């Protein structure tokens, strides 16, 4: 029963988080967005003390249930391992006990902490389990999902039904796709052959929670009076942490999956209060107590959901299709309103790609710079950052983009526009344009005479940098190709105007 409860909770969490990264409408983020904020590393970077404390207390009480229920990468590995177990019945019992490789675990944890402090963001993004799965889901699974969506839209349109609508499929960053593919292959091999080897050898979150779970209150306990040393529990344990020779369990690696309890036909393993008497001396009410404990665990998760505020999100309308533009060279990258500064964004972002997947305007895409590889940055070839859209700040779980209201966003200057007159059609060809001035939401662009003394001369754009917020509407809507006549350059530190 405990294993079934764990599987149901894990399936719900995994499915909801996966849908967050594949949702093209934005309708799911207010409902399931709290699951992203419940992830350990994003909550730690966001300094969300309540969530971090909750996860530590949950681990201290029930062991590493975070790894087997809440973490999407952990559940993903279980799914891969489960599929292999379905190929042949004996594959269910293919594992064996192996001593903990503590020097490897702590070396990766130390390197992760050093990289986090030193700002080596690529290393942090690659090792972080939630971010790694987010890139796989948002980059690879989303492409498959959108391809099937477009297929259904095509078929439905043939029958004069518009229940589906097609979406553009585009690779937001080749480097991110390559990293995601390599990550998927590595995790697949680890899980297919060794079960939870990655979680208990490489994953820094698993190692950190493993230090806490050594002292967990409720754990699987082996009753030596009932055990007949068949070894089924050890061969079923995907964490390879059950030592049948000594009848001990390494609780720093145990993820409380309950597979060992399910495998034992003698009832020699029970999930109970570790400091009490053995199960053979306890009353028959213990199964009821176990159910109550799992109910408490599920109640704690439900409470966590209630404590994380779900922000109201709205999806913008469709964008007009325009001819392809080239990405200009910017003096400084553009980061979304709410980032406060480029440095703050880089220190907190885990490159999970949630904001990239959710951006309704196609403004965010992964960086290709080596120092900030896969971290989102803004560019305006497919759309511009609408002042009324706060999607990215609403959903960021790591504090890289703090929540801002629509009113606040309209007054935050993330950069400013500059005109390259050699590309401007009004300046070089003398045509009447003014597209940038007409669509500037802050009125920062004015059209002035190219020759102030000649009232018949062409009007050219001039930018008032004090009023510009860097939304990119001018750059996106500029008809000049392949490069716009106006380029928005980012600010190192954002300011309110």
């Amino acid at each position: 029963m405990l294993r079934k409860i764990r599987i149901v909770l894990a399936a719900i969490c995994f499915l909801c988080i996966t849908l967050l990264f594949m949702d093209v409408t934005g309708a799911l983020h207010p409902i399931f967005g709290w699951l992203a904020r419940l992830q350990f590393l994003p909550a730690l970077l966001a300094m969300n003390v309540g969530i971090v404390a909750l996860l530590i207390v949950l681990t201290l009480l029930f062991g590493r249930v975070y790894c087997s229920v809440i973490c999407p990468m952990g559940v993903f590995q279980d799914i891969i391992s489960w599929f292999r177990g379905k190929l042949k019945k004996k594959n269910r019992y293919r594992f064996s006990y192996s001593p903990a490789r503590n020097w490897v675990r702590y070396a990766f944890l130390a390197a992760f902490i050093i990289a986090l402090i030193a700002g080596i963001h690529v290393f942090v993004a690659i090792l972080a389990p939630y971010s790694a799965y987010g890139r796989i889901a948002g980059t690879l699974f989303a492409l498959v999902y959108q391809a099937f969506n477009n297929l259904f839209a095509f078929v439905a349109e043939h029958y004069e039904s518009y229940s589906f609508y097609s979406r553009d499929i585009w690779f937001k960053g080749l480097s991110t796709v390559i990293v995601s593919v390599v990550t998927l292959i590595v995790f697949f091999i680890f899980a297919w052959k060794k079960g939870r080897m990655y979680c208990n050898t490489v994953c820094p979150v698993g190692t950190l929670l493993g230090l806490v779970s050594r002292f967990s209150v409720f754990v699987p306990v082996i009753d030596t009076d009932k055990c007949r040393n068949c070894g089924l529990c050890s061969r079923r344990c995907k964490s390879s942490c059950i030592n049948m020779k000594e009848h001990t369990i390494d609780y720093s690696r145990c993820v409380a999956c309950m597979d060992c309890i399910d495998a034992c036909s003698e009832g020699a393993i029970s999930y109970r209060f570790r400091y009490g008497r053995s199960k053979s001396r306890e009353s028959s009410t213990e199964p009821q107590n176990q159910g109550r404990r799992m109910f408490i665990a599920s109640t704690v998760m439900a409470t966590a959901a209630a404590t994380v505020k779900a922000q109201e999100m709205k999806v913008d309308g469709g964008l007009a299709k325009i001819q392809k533009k080239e990405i200009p060279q910017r003096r400084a990258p553009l980061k979304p309103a709410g980032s406060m500064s480029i440095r703050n964004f880089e220190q907190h972002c885990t490159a999970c790609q949630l904001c990239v997947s959710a951006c309704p305007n196609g403004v965010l895409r992964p960086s290709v710079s080596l120092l900030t590889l896969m971290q989102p940055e803004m560019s305006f070839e497919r759309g511009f950052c609408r002042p009324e859209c706060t999607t990215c700040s609403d959903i960021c779980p790591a504090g890289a983009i703090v929540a801002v209201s629509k009113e606040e966003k309209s007054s935050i200057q993330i950069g400013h526009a500059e005109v390259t007159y050699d590309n401007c059609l009004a300046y070089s060809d003398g045509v009447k344009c003014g597209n940038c001035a007409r669509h500037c939401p802050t009125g920062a662009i004015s059209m002035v005479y190219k020759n102030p003394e000649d009232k018949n001369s062409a009007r050219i754009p001039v930018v008032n940098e004090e009023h510009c917020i860097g939304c990119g509407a001018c750059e996106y809507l500029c008809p000049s190709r392949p490069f716009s006549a106006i380029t928005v350059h980012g600010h190192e530190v954002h300011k309110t105007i």
Side-chain angles (χ1 to χ4, degrees):
M1 187 62 184
L2 294 177
R3 181 172 177 269
K4 291 180 179 179
I5 294 175
R6 192 269 305 174
I7 291 175
V8 170
L9 293 177
I12 292 173
C13 290
F14 179 78
L15 180 61
C16 292
I17 291 178
T18 302
L19 290 176
L20 279 179
F21 286 94
M22 298 194 300
D23 180 28
V24 297
T25 65
L28 298 180
H29 292 287
I31 305 173
F32 304 132
W34 61 274
L35 283 170
R37 300 180 188 275
L38 200 59
Q39 303 303 313
F40 187 85
L41 183 60
L44 186 64
L45 292 175
M47 302 190 69
N48 195 330
V49 179
I51 297 299
V52 174
L54 175 67
L55 295 177
I56 292 177
V57 170
L58 189 66
T59 305
L60 193 59
L61 286 176
F62 305 105
R64 285 172 55 182
V65 293
Y66 170 86
C67 299
S68 59
V69 175
I70 302 175
C71 177
M73 184 57 81
V75 179
F76 183 52
Q77 293 175 87
D78 286 347
I79 294 173
I80 296 173
S81 180
W82 178 81
F83 270 112
R84 187 189 177 185
K86 283 294 182 181
L87 294 179
K88 291 183 180 181
K89 188 175 181 180
K90 64 179 182 179
N91 283 336
R92 299 178 62 196
Y93 301 95
R94 66 185 183 276
F95 303 109
S96 61
Y97 172 75
S98 63
R101 300 176 178 86
N102 287 330
W103 69 273
V104 178
R105 300 168 70 189
Y106 298 138
F108 270 106
L109 179 60
F112 182 83
I113 294 174
I114 293 173
L116 197 61
I117 297 174
I120 307 176
H121 311 292
V122 178
F123 187 77
V124 174
I126 290 176
L127 283 188
Y130 162 74
S131 300
Y133 180 77
R135 288 190 297 274
I136 292 174
T139 304
L140 303 180
F141 294 170
L143 292 177
V144 177
Y145 171 80
Q146 291 175 7
F148 276 103
N149 174 79
N150 290 354
L151 176 62
F152 290 144
F154 175 78
V155 174
E157 184 178 357
H158 179 73
Y159 291 99
E160 298 183 353
S161 172
Y162 298 93
S163 301
F164 301 89
Y165 61 94
S166 61
R167 300 272 302 187
D168 289 338
I169 299 177
W170 59 295
F171 291 94
K172 300 179 178 69
L174 180 60
S175 58
T176 303
V177 172
I178 294 174
V179 171
S180 301
V181 171
V182 173
T183 303
L184 177 61
I185 294 173
V186 170
F187 274 89
F188 186 89
I189 294 174
F190 269 117
W192 188 264
K193 292 184 174 295
K194 297 294 184 180
R196 285 278 187 153
M197 183 178 178
Y198 175 86
C199 295
N200 290 326
T201 306
V202 180
C203 179
V205 176
T207 302
L208 188 60
L209 292 179
L211 295 174
V212 179
S213 64
R214 290 176 183 269
F215 310 100
S216 54
V217 177
F218 296 99
V219 293
V221 177
I222 301 176
D223 187 343
T224 55
D225 295 335
K226 292 184 177 182
C227 180
R228 56 186 180 89
N229 295 320
C230 66
L232 288 179
C233 57
S234 178
R235 287 186 281 137
R236 184 76 179 274
C237 178
K238 51 181 171 278
S239 296
S240 302
C241 64
I242 301 179
N243 185 352
M244 284 309 300
K245 291 183 178 180
E246 300 180 4
H247 293 90
T248 58
I249 300 176
D250 184 356
Y251 296 123
S252 70
R253 291 186 290 160
C254 176
V255 295
C257 66
M258 312 301 174
D259 285 354
C260 56
I261 299 176
D262 181 68
C264 184
S265 59
E266 302 297 323
I269 302 181
S270 60
Y271 185 74
R272 66 177 181 84
F273 185 69
R274 70 187 297 184
Y275 302 109
R277 296 175 297 173
S278 65
K279 184 176 177 6
S280 59
R281 299 180 182 179
E282 291 176 353
S283 66
S284 60
T285 60
E286 181 63 20
Q288 298 178 6
N289 292 335
Q290 293 174 2
R292 295 191 190 100
R293 289 162 192 157
M294 289 306 298
F295 175 76
I296 294 173
S298 60
T299 303
V300 171
M301 290 186 60
T303 304
T307 57
V308 182
K309 183 179 180 181
Q311 301 292 332
E312 181 182 1
M313 302 168 61
K314 294 183 179 179
V315 179
D316 211 343
L319 302 178
K321 294 182 179 180
I322 60 173
Q323 185 180 350
K324 181 180 178 182
K325 286 189 177 185
E326 299 294 334
I327 300 176
Q329 187 70 32
R330 307 185 196 276
R331 288 194 295 272
L334 282 160
K335 303 300 181 181
S339 305
M340 294 183 284
S341 67
I342 295 178
R343 179 178 176 81
N344 177 77
F345 183 89
E346 293 175 352
Q347 286 179 335
H348 289 82
C349 179
T350 63
C352 71
Q353 309 298 309
L354 183 58
C355 59
V356 176
S357 301
C359 180
N361 304 312
V363 171
L364 292 173
R365 68 280 312 273
S367 170
V368 296
S369 173
L370 182 60
L371 294 178
T372 59
L373 187 66
M374 299 182 295
Q375 288 191 346
E377 61 183 22
M378 303 171 68
S379 198
F380 308 115
E381 290 70 51
R382 300 178 65 90
F384 67 94
C385 188
R386 300 176 183 265
E388 72 276 9
C389 178
T390 59
T391 300
C392 57
S393 68
D394 290 337
I395 64 174
C396 178
I401 314 173
V402 299
V404 295
S405 65
K406 297 176 182 179
E407 294 77 15
E408 291 173 332
K409 183 181 177 181
S410 300
S411 61
I412 296 176
Q413 188 180 62
I414 63 174
H416 69 276
E418 291 184 3
V419 182
T420 304
Y421 287 109
D422 290 340
N423 295 340
C424 181
L425 300 178
Y427 184 90
S428 59
D429 298 341
V431 300
K432 293 182 179 180
C433 182
N435 216 29
C436 52
R438 284 194 301 272
H439 295 93
C440 179
T442 61
I445 302 178
S446 303
M447 300 299 293
V448 300
Y449 290 108
K450 180 179 180 180
N451 183 357
E453 297 179 355
D454 183 5
K455 301 302 181 182
N456 294 322
S457 62
R459 290 176 177 264
I460 60 174
V462 175
V463 180
N464 184 344
E465 294 182 6
E466 295 299 322
H467 291 171
C468 179
I469 61 174
C471 68
C474 54
E475 181 179 323
Y476 169 63
L477 295 168
C478 178
S480 179
R481 298 294 188 273
F483 293 100
S484 296
I486 295 186
T487 302
V488 181
H489 300 279
H491 286 178
E492 293 286 342
V493 179
H494 299 176
K495 66 179 183 178
T496 303
I497 59 174

